[in-house]
PDB file of all heavy atoms in Angstrom:
ATOM      1  N   ALA A 743     -12.157  22.193 -25.477  1.00 91.00           N
ATOM      2  CA  ALA A 743     -12.079  21.164 -24.431  1.00 91.00           C
ATOM      3  C   ALA A 743     -12.026  19.764 -25.041  1.00 91.00           C
ATOM      4  O   ALA A 743     -11.156  18.953 -24.685  1.00 91.00           O
ATOM      5  CB  ALA A 743     -13.279  21.291 -23.494  1.00 91.00           C
ATOM      6  N   SER A 744     -12.929  19.474 -25.958  1.00 93.00           N
ATOM      7  CA  SER A 744     -12.947  18.141 -26.563  1.00 93.00           C
ATOM      8  C   SER A 744     -11.699  17.906 -27.416  1.00 93.00           C
ATOM      9  O   SER A 744     -11.154  16.791 -27.444  1.00 93.00           O
ATOM     10  CB  SER A 744     -14.212  17.948 -27.408  1.00 93.00           C
ATOM     11  OG  SER A 744     -14.308  18.927 -28.429  1.00 93.00           O
ATOM     12  N   SER A 745     -11.222  18.953 -28.101  1.00 94.00           N
ATOM     13  CA  SER A 745      -9.998  18.823 -28.908  1.00 94.00           C
ATOM     14  C   SER A 745      -8.796  18.524 -28.020  1.00 94.00           C
ATOM     15  O   SER A 745      -7.932  17.711 -28.376  1.00 94.00           O
ATOM     16  CB  SER A 745      -9.748  20.107 -29.706  1.00 94.00           C
ATOM     17  OG  SER A 745     -10.749  20.313 -30.668  1.00 94.00           O
ATOM     18  N   MET A 746      -8.742  19.176 -26.855  1.00 95.00           N
ATOM     19  CA  MET A 746      -7.624  18.952 -25.949  1.00 95.00           C
ATOM     20  C   MET A 746      -7.657  17.530 -25.392  1.00 95.00           C
ATOM     21  O   MET A 746      -6.602  16.899 -25.200  1.00 95.00           O
ATOM     22  CB  MET A 746      -7.656  19.968 -24.805  1.00 95.00           C
ATOM     23  CG  MET A 746      -6.316  20.163 -24.135  1.00 95.00           C
ATOM     24  SD  MET A 746      -5.043  20.782 -25.264  1.00 95.00           S
ATOM     25  CE  MET A 746      -5.517  22.505 -25.392  1.00 95.00           C
ATOM     26  N   LEU A 747      -8.852  17.009 -25.155  1.00 95.00           N
ATOM     27  CA  LEU A 747      -8.966  15.622 -24.697  1.00 95.00           C
ATOM     28  C   LEU A 747      -8.478  14.661 -25.785  1.00 95.00           C
ATOM     29  O   LEU A 747      -7.803  13.670 -25.494  1.00 95.00           O
ATOM     30  CB  LEU A 747     -10.417  15.305 -24.328  1.00 95.00           C
ATOM     31  CG  LEU A 747     -11.006  16.066 -23.133  1.00 95.00           C
ATOM     32  CD1 LEU A 747     -12.445  15.633 -22.889  1.00 95.00           C
ATOM     33  CD2 LEU A 747     -10.170  15.856 -21.871  1.00 95.00           C
ATOM     34  N   ILE A 748      -8.814  14.968 -27.037  1.00 96.00           N
ATOM     35  CA  ILE A 748      -8.351  14.139 -28.157  1.00 96.00           C
ATOM     36  C   ILE A 748      -6.825  14.107 -28.214  1.00 96.00           C
ATOM     37  O   ILE A 748      -6.205  13.049 -28.359  1.00 96.00           O
ATOM     38  CB  ILE A 748      -8.919  14.666 -29.491  1.00 96.00           C
ATOM     39  CG1 ILE A 748     -10.436  14.433 -29.566  1.00 96.00           C
ATOM     40  CG2 ILE A 748      -8.232  13.978 -30.677  1.00 96.00           C
ATOM     41  CD1 ILE A 748     -11.097  15.095 -30.761  1.00 96.00           C
ATOM     42  N   ILE A 749      -6.215  15.291 -28.087  1.00 96.00           N
ATOM     43  CA  ILE A 749      -4.752  15.385 -28.154  1.00 96.00           C
ATOM     44  C   ILE A 749      -4.116  14.564 -27.040  1.00 96.00           C
ATOM     45  O   ILE A 749      -3.129  13.842 -27.260  1.00 96.00           O
ATOM     46  CB  ILE A 749      -4.307  16.858 -28.071  1.00 96.00           C
ATOM     47  CG1 ILE A 749      -4.823  17.635 -29.279  1.00 96.00           C
ATOM     48  CG2 ILE A 749      -2.780  16.956 -28.008  1.00 96.00           C
ATOM     49  CD1 ILE A 749      -4.663  19.142 -29.154  1.00 96.00           C
ATOM     50  N   ASN A 750      -4.680  14.651 -25.828  1.00 96.00           N
ATOM     51  CA  ASN A 750      -4.169  13.866 -24.707  1.00 96.00           C
ATOM     52  C   ASN A 750      -4.244  12.372 -25.002  1.00 96.00           C
ATOM     53  O   ASN A 750      -3.269  11.637 -24.798  1.00 96.00           O
ATOM     54  CB  ASN A 750      -4.963  14.183 -23.439  1.00 96.00           C
ATOM     55  CG  ASN A 750      -4.420  15.362 -22.669  1.00 96.00           C
ATOM     56  OD1 ASN A 750      -3.620  15.213 -21.755  1.00 96.00           O
ATOM     57  ND2 ASN A 750      -4.859  16.558 -23.039  1.00 96.00           N
ATOM     58  N   ILE A 751      -5.390  11.915 -25.464  1.00 96.00           N
ATOM     59  CA  ILE A 751      -5.598  10.488 -25.720  1.00 96.00           C
ATOM     60  C   ILE A 751      -4.669   9.989 -26.824  1.00 96.00           C
ATOM     61  O   ILE A 751      -4.080   8.904 -26.722  1.00 96.00           O
ATOM     62  CB  ILE A 751      -7.068  10.216 -26.086  1.00 96.00           C
ATOM     63  CG1 ILE A 751      -7.981  10.504 -24.883  1.00 96.00           C
ATOM     64  CG2 ILE A 751      -7.254   8.778 -26.558  1.00 96.00           C
ATOM     65  CD1 ILE A 751      -9.459  10.448 -25.205  1.00 96.00           C
ATOM     66  N   MET A 752      -4.508  10.805 -27.875  1.00 96.00           N
ATOM     67  CA  MET A 752      -3.692  10.374 -29.006  1.00 96.00           C
ATOM     68  C   MET A 752      -2.207  10.301 -28.667  1.00 96.00           C
ATOM     69  O   MET A 752      -1.457   9.558 -29.303  1.00 96.00           O
ATOM     70  CB  MET A 752      -3.915  11.311 -30.199  1.00 96.00           C
ATOM     71  CG  MET A 752      -5.309  11.243 -30.792  1.00 96.00           C
ATOM     72  SD  MET A 752      -5.753   9.589 -31.358  1.00 96.00           S
ATOM     73  CE  MET A 752      -4.605   9.371 -32.701  1.00 96.00           C
ATOM     74  N   PHE A 753      -1.770  11.070 -27.675  1.00 96.00           N
ATOM     75  CA  PHE A 753      -0.364  11.021 -27.292  1.00 96.00           C
ATOM     76  C   PHE A 753      -0.057   9.872 -26.325  1.00 96.00           C
ATOM     77  O   PHE A 753       1.108   9.478 -26.184  1.00 96.00           O
ATOM     78  CB  PHE A 753       0.083  12.350 -26.666  1.00 96.00           C
ATOM     79  CG  PHE A 753       0.682  13.306 -27.654  1.00 96.00           C
ATOM     80  CD1 PHE A 753       0.031  14.483 -27.986  1.00 96.00           C
ATOM     81  CD2 PHE A 753       1.898  13.038 -28.262  1.00 96.00           C
ATOM     82  CE1 PHE A 753       0.569  15.364 -28.903  1.00 96.00           C
ATOM     83  CE2 PHE A 753       2.456  13.917 -29.175  1.00 96.00           C
ATOM     84  CZ  PHE A 753       1.792  15.088 -29.502  1.00 96.00           C
ATOM     85  N   MET A 754      -1.078   9.349 -25.653  1.00 95.00           N
ATOM     86  CA  MET A 754      -0.835   8.318 -24.641  1.00 95.00           C
ATOM     87  C   MET A 754      -0.067   7.110 -25.171  1.00 95.00           C
ATOM     88  O   MET A 754       0.887   6.650 -24.524  1.00 95.00           O
ATOM     89  CB  MET A 754      -2.163   7.873 -24.021  1.00 95.00           C
ATOM     90  CG  MET A 754      -2.777   8.904 -23.086  1.00 95.00           C
ATOM     91  SD  MET A 754      -4.365   8.369 -22.420  1.00 95.00           S
ATOM     92  CE  MET A 754      -4.876   9.854 -21.534  1.00 95.00           C
ATOM     93  N   PRO A 755      -0.420   6.558 -26.355  1.00 95.00           N
ATOM     94  CA  PRO A 755       0.347   5.405 -26.846  1.00 95.00           C
ATOM     95  C   PRO A 755       1.815   5.742 -27.121  1.00 95.00           C
ATOM     96  O   PRO A 755       2.679   4.862 -27.021  1.00 95.00           O
ATOM     97  CB  PRO A 755      -0.377   5.037 -28.154  1.00 95.00           C
ATOM     98  CG  PRO A 755      -1.751   5.581 -27.991  1.00 95.00           C
ATOM     99  CD  PRO A 755      -1.582   6.849 -27.204  1.00 95.00           C
ATOM    100  N   GLN A 756       2.108   6.992 -27.447  1.00 94.00           N
ATOM    101  CA  GLN A 756       3.482   7.384 -27.742  1.00 94.00           C
ATOM    102  C   GLN A 756       4.354   7.423 -26.487  1.00 94.00           C
ATOM    103  O   GLN A 756       5.573   7.450 -26.573  1.00 94.00           O
ATOM    104  CB  GLN A 756       3.498   8.746 -28.438  1.00 94.00           C
ATOM    105  CG  GLN A 756       2.769   8.737 -29.779  1.00 94.00           C
ATOM    106  CD  GLN A 756       2.981  10.011 -30.568  1.00 94.00           C
ATOM    107  OE1 GLN A 756       4.078  10.539 -30.623  1.00 94.00           O
ATOM    108  NE2 GLN A 756       1.925  10.502 -31.199  1.00 94.00           N
ATOM    109  N   PHE A 757       3.682   7.447 -25.315  1.00 96.00           N
ATOM    110  CA  PHE A 757       4.421   7.476 -24.060  1.00 96.00           C
ATOM    111  C   PHE A 757       4.575   6.085 -23.445  1.00 96.00           C
ATOM    112  O   PHE A 757       5.067   5.944 -22.325  1.00 96.00           O
ATOM    113  CB  PHE A 757       3.723   8.395 -23.040  1.00 96.00           C
ATOM    114  CG  PHE A 757       3.581   9.820 -23.511  1.00 96.00           C
ATOM    115  CD1 PHE A 757       2.518  10.602 -23.074  1.00 96.00           C
ATOM    116  CD2 PHE A 757       4.508  10.386 -24.378  1.00 96.00           C
ATOM    117  CE1 PHE A 757       2.383  11.922 -23.491  1.00 96.00           C
ATOM    118  CE2 PHE A 757       4.387  11.702 -24.804  1.00 96.00           C
ATOM    119  CZ  PHE A 757       3.323  12.466 -24.366  1.00 96.00           C
ATOM    120  N   ASN A 758       4.163   5.048 -24.168  1.00 95.00           N
ATOM    121  CA  ASN A 758       4.258   3.678 -23.642  1.00 95.00           C
ATOM    122  C   ASN A 758       5.701   3.276 -23.345  1.00 95.00           C
ATOM    123  O   ASN A 758       5.951   2.447 -22.465  1.00 95.00           O
ATOM    124  CB  ASN A 758       3.654   2.680 -24.632  1.00 95.00           C
ATOM    125  CG  ASN A 758       2.125   2.740 -24.662  1.00 95.00           C
ATOM    126  OD1 ASN A 758       1.508   3.304 -23.765  1.00 95.00           O
ATOM    127  ND2 ASN A 758       1.524   2.169 -25.696  1.00 95.00           N
TER     128      ASN A 758
END
Side-chain angles (χ1 to χ4, degrees):
S744 58
S745 294
M746 202 61 76
L747 295 180
I748 291 172
I749 296 169
N750 273 267
I751 294 172
M752 293 302 294
F753 267 112
M754 287 178 186
Q756 298 190 42
F757 301 150
N758 286 344

